[in-house]
């Protein structure tokens, strides 16, 4: 019996899974299924197909676990299996990866990360590109508002509506706590592209929070 | 605490607020070269708006970090456990169970 209170390492769970331990499998599914579905969504066009891909990925894990040598991390291996299965579904071949430029104020859908009217233009040569009026402080927002259920629901909703690659990166990094190296390896992203996606996602969530927490 | 923009003695540095906003994630990720990092940090000392902006990005990251992933629906989990049992019954696997 595995103690659910502690958090067993992937490598230990892999060893247990090789020994046909059902609890180890259950823990792995609980740990990675949401991530697998979200990642599958970047390959295929419907949630139903993404769930299918995730399920088949687990079957692939069971079939391959005795040959898995642990040379890559479990995460990377999982994502390789998932990518191969997703490709057989052949729905969306190309993942949309943005240009590696954080210098732009617009993201891949053309939305402004900062409303340009909030920055001064060339009519003020000394301070062109500086704030015309500062962002409002959030300090006046009541604590329970900043951390309450409504805010969490709002953040969830915002993340759900992000372009798939942004959604995937912010979820893995900021919700699941993966390192940037892990995310890059699993999603086959360059460090720079990963940062661009994370930047856009965080900035968009910040902007939604601003609307909500603005002291009126 | 922040300088007046009409004060001629202030070194405003080389970044605009637009640059600063674009660089926040690179800064937080430790991906800025040393001199860029110095320019970035200098901007915080002269610009209240960007000081606030960076702070709000940090609050955002923390708020996102407080969310939890969805639970796996019971039906899906049951289906996968079923697949596990079929697999276990059909393959020999390792004989000994390692200790955690
Ligand atoms: Zn500024």
């Amino acid at each position: 019996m595995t103690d659910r209170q502690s958090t067993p390492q992937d490598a230990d769970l892999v060893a247990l899974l090789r020994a046909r331990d059902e609890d180890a499998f259950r823990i792995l599914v609980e740990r990675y299924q949401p991530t697998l579905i979200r990642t599958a969504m970047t390959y295929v066009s419907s949630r139903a197909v993404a769930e299918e891909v995730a399920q088949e990925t687990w079957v692939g894990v069971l079939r391959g676990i005795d040959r898995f040598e642990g040379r890559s991390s479990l995460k990377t291996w999982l994502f390789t299996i998932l990518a191969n299965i997703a490709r057989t579904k052949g729905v969306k071949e190309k993942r949309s990866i943005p240009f590696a430029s954080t210098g732009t104020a617009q993201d891949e859908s053309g939305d402004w990360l900062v409303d340009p009217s909030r920055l001064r233009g060339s009519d003020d040569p000394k301070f062109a590109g500086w704030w015309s009026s500062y962002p409002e402080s959030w300090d006046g927002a009541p604590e329970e508002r900043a951390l309450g259920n409504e805010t969490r629901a709002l953040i969830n909703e915002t993340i759900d509506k992000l372009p798939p690659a942004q959604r995937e990166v912010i979820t893995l990094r900021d919700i699941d706590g993966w390192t940037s190296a892990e995310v890059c390896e699993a999603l086959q992203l360059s460090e720079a592209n990963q940062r661009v996606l994370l930047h856009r996602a965080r900035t968009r969530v910040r902007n939604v929070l601003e609307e909500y927490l603005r002291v009126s | 605490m922040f300088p007046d923009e009409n004060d001629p003695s202030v070194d405003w540095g080389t970044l605009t607020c637009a640059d600063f906003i674009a660089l926040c994630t690179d800064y937080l990720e430790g991906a800025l070269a040393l001199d860029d990092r110095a320019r970035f940090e200098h901007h915080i000392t002269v610009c209240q708006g960007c000081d606030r902006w960076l702070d709000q990005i940090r609050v955002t990251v923390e708020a996102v970090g407080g969310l939890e992933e969805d639970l796996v629906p019971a039906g899906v989990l049951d289906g996968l456990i079923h697949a596990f049992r079929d697999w276990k019954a059909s393959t020999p696997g390792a004989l000994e169970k390692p200790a955690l």
Side-chain angles (χ1 to χ4, degrees):
Chain A
M1 195 57 198
T2 310
D3 179 8
R4 298 268 186 97
Q5 294 311 106
S6 66
T7 49
Q9 302 293 306
D10 283 355
D12 297 326
L13 293 170
V14 165
L16 283 165
L17 185 55
R18 279 212 182 93
R20 284 22 182 189
D21 183 282
E22 187 173 307
D23 282 322
F25 183 65
R26 190 187 300 270
I27 292 169
L28 285 171
V29 170
E30 284 168 348
R31 184 174 291 178
Y32 289 114
Q33 175 79 353
T35 304
L36 290 179
I37 292 177
R38 199 172 42 252
T39 305
M41 295 278 289
T42 67
Y43 289 100
V44 301
S45 43
S46 79
R47 173 143 187 127
V49 180
E51 284 174 1
E52 226 173 87
V53 170
Q55 251 104 302
E56 288 178 33
T57 299
W58 290 112
V59 174
V61 166
L62 294 175
R63 288 207 186 111
I65 192 73
D66 290 333
R67 291 187 310 275
F68 174 62
E69 290 169 10
R71 247 180 279 152
S72 62
S73 71
L74 174 70
K75 283 175 183 173
T76 303
W77 185 55
L78 273 176
F79 279 83
T80 309
I81 297 174
L82 177 123
N84 289 335
I85 290 169
R87 277 191 207 104
T88 68
K89 308 273 174 194
V91 187
K92 247 191 333 191
E93 258 304 304
K94 230 23 197 158
R95 290 150 62 83
S96 66
I97 302 299
F99 299 115
S101 161
T102 46
T104 170
Q106 280 171 298
D107 73 7
E108 63 269 34
S109 56
D111 288 349
W112 293 96
L113 294 177
V114 184
D115 180 350
S117 70
R118 295 177 67 179
L119 300 173
R120 284 184 256 186
S122 51
D123 51 326
D124 185 350
K126 190 176 170 194
F127 288 106
W130 289 58
W131 295 107
S132 47
S133 65
Y134 293 152
E136 280 180 54
S137 169
W138 297 352
D139 293 346
E143 184 94 337
E144 66 272 18
R145 180 143 205 211
L147 304 167
N149 286 336
E150 210 178 318
T151 310
R152 296 154 71 101
L154 179 71
I155 296 173
N156 261 326
E157 195 184 303
T158 307
I159 291 176
D160 280 348
K161 282 192 283 197
L162 291 172
Q166 286 184 33
R167 182 172 64 221
E168 194 176 10
V169 169
I170 196 173
T171 307
L172 292 176
R173 287 294 313 279
D174 291 343
I175 303 181
D176 298 344
W178 291 31
T179 65
S180 63
E182 286 174 332
V183 173
C184 289
E185 195 186 2
L187 306 185
Q188 296 293 297
L189 289 170
S190 70
E191 290 274 348
N193 270 331
Q194 191 252 170
R195 281 198 304 276
V196 173
L197 293 166
L198 184 62
H199 182 72
R200 290 173 178 174
R202 283 178 176 174
T203 307
R204 281 198 188 197
V205 176
R206 181 222 160 268
N207 292 347
V208 170
L209 281 177
E210 172 177 59
E211 283 301 310
Y212 182 71
L213 295 175
R214 193 195 290 277
V215 188
S216 44
Chain B
M1 164 182 180
F2 292 94
D4 184 297
E5 67 181 60
N6 297 311
D7 181 343
S9 69
V10 176
D11 171 10
W12 297 102
T14 50
L15 289 190
T16 65
C17 301
D19 298 329
F20 184 96
I21 292 162
L23 291 172
C24 278
T25 302
D26 288 352
Y27 175 71
L28 293 173
E29 295 282 286
L32 290 182
L34 276 184
D35 55 334
D36 287 337
R37 186 188 169 102
R39 293 162 69 207
F40 185 93
E41 288 174 342
H42 177 77
H43 187 85
I44 306 174
T45 66
V46 295
C47 179
Q48 180 171 13
C50 286
D51 181 51
R52 197 174 273 170
W53 181 276
L54 181 63
D55 199 47
Q56 292 174 351
I57 293 285
R58 287 197 170 108
V59 169
T60 300
V61 173
E62 236 171 81
V64 173
L67 301 177
E68 273 168 29
E69 283 278 29
D70 297 342
L71 294 175
V72 182
V76 172
L77 193 57
D78 288 349
L80 287 169
I81 293 295
H82 195 83
F84 172 89
R85 289 177 185 160
D86 286 350
W87 167 74
K88 183 175 176 174
S90 64
T91 59
L95 293 175
E96 279 171 44
K97 184 168 163 171
L100 263 188

